[in-house]
Amino acid sequence: MMVTIDSRENLKARLGGALLSDKIYLVEGTVPVLISVPHAVPHMREGRLKSDEVNTDLIGMLVQENTGCHLFVNEGVEGDPNYDDPNVYKDRLLEYVQTHGVAMVIDLHGASQDREFDFELGTGKGNNVVEFPECAGLFAAMPELKDLTVTVDKFFPAAKPYTVSAFVSSRTGIPCLQIEINRRMRWGHESISQTATALVRYVKGVSGYMALSAQERQEYRLLWVMKSDAFMPRNLVALPPELKDVFGRNENVVLRFG
């Protein structure tokens, strides 16, 4: 089932939430995943005005409504949360994560439509997701990403210490995944719905996966290659039965590591 698109005004009315004094829109969730949207509005970087990453906030709100995750959206903090250090957005996000049982942060960004990827996953070359290295492969398992290109740490690895993902991960030890969404995947109702639906599936899936004990996780195997063959279907995910409907094998996704 695809996510139904609605206006920001209607979504905010349904979600409730609060606009903090620091111009951060917050919706408290019930599952241990937080969606961060630091570039929802125009922002300054080194004295230059950068445009907002269109519809990243709308996608974040749609995911929150359909999963119950926590949501943090920049609605006008000073500077660039993913570049400036210090920055109030990162500071407030860190405080929230540390006090609300958040087990994973997904930091949403928007990339130019000229980029070769549809989605780029930034793991900090693995450093930001040490406790959850499977997260990139599981994202590529989304059936909504059929025939799309997913790159990993190739263009935007989120490796610099001032990025939201690296900042939070280094101070908490929880996995923080940056997801760059090509403009073509966040413009128009059909594309926005496709992207939001994939992220809804992902948030639900990783919430269940992270609920497994360390021993249970060790019993499952995640091995990704470009294609399977008739003799060795390598591109499989061995998961608990309750997660098989969430994550499935998807060999139509091109997964490229930087």
Side-chain angles (χ1 to χ4, degrees):
M1 182 173 138
M2 297 292 282
V3 168
T4 301
I5 308 303
D6 205 345
S7 68
R8 288 171 177 79
E9 293 74 19
N10 289 343
L11 280 168
K12 281 190 173 181
R14 292 200 299 271
L15 299 183
L19 183 62
L20 306 183
S21 59
D22 300 311
K23 296 184 179 178
I24 296 168
Y25 176 63
L26 164 67
V27 181
E28 187 168 349
T30 56
V31 302
V33 177
L34 183 147
I35 296 287
S36 162
V37 190
H39 289 161
V41 294
H43 49 281
M44 298 295 294
R45 177 182 290 187
E46 294 186 324
R48 182 167 65 93
L49 182 65
K50 294 179 68 70
S51 63
D52 61 305
E53 295 172 349
V54 63
N55 291 330
T56 50
D57 58 337
L58 178 60
I59 292 168
M61 286 190 282
L62 290 167
V63 175
Q64 199 289 325
E65 181 176 48
N66 287 275
T67 65
C69 67
H70 303 271
L71 178 66
F72 242 65
V73 180
N74 174 15
E75 293 205 347
V77 301
E78 185 175 348
D80 184 342
N82 208 45
Y83 187 83
D84 295 339
D85 191 19
N87 183 270
V88 67
Y89 181 92
K90 286 197 289 264
D91 291 340
R92 296 292 175 267
L93 178 59
L94 178 62
E95 291 171 5
Y96 186 88
V97 166
Q98 292 174 324
T99 56
H100 287 78
V102 175
M104 182 178 184
V105 171
I106 298 172
D107 195 42
L108 294 187
H109 291 263
S112 165
Q113 63 185 10
D114 297 328
R115 293 289 181 178
E116 69 177 56
F117 59 80
D118 296 292
F119 296 90
E120 158 93 344
L121 309 180
T123 73
K125 303 294 185 181
N127 292 325
N128 301 342
V129 295
V130 172
E131 296 300 319
F132 193 18
E134 306 93 336
C135 65
L138 288 173
F139 183 85
M142 301 296 97
E144 291 80 11
L145 306 187
K146 182 175 182 279
D147 300 322
L148 300 181
T149 298
V150 179
T151 55
V152 182
D153 291 333
K154 190 172 183 180
F155 303 99
F156 302 102
K160 300 292 186 182
Y162 49 70
T163 62
V164 170
S165 296
F167 177 85
V168 174
S169 176
S170 65
R171 288 160 176 78
T172 64
I174 70 170
C176 298
L177 179 67
Q178 179 176 287
I179 301 181
E180 294 274 349
I181 308 170
N182 190 294
R183 185 183 176 92
R184 60 180 171 265
M185 296 306 303
R186 50 189 171 86
W187 186 258
H189 279 200
E190 184 176 347
S191 294
I192 293 171
S193 178
Q194 182 181 9
T195 296
T197 301
L199 284 167
V200 166
R201 183 187 293 273
Y202 187 65
V203 169
K204 288 180 177 179
V206 297
S207 296
Y209 190 68
M210 290 187 298
L212 299 172
S213 68
Q215 181 177 352
E216 286 173 322
R217 286 198 203 181
Q218 290 175 3
E219 295 174 359
Y220 303 108
R221 178 168 52 95
L222 179 66
L223 181 61
W224 290 95
V225 295
M226 297 309 297
K227 292 288 181 182
S228 300
D229 57 44
F231 303 102
M232 189 174 294
R234 302 184 185 91
N235 208 19
L236 62 87
V237 184
L239 288 171
E242 63 271 21
L243 294 182
K244 286 189 179 295
D245 289 338
V246 179
F247 295 121
R249 199 166 84 181
N250 188 352
E251 295 189 352
N252 293 303
V253 171
V254 178
L255 185 63
R256 299 175 182 167
F257 289 84

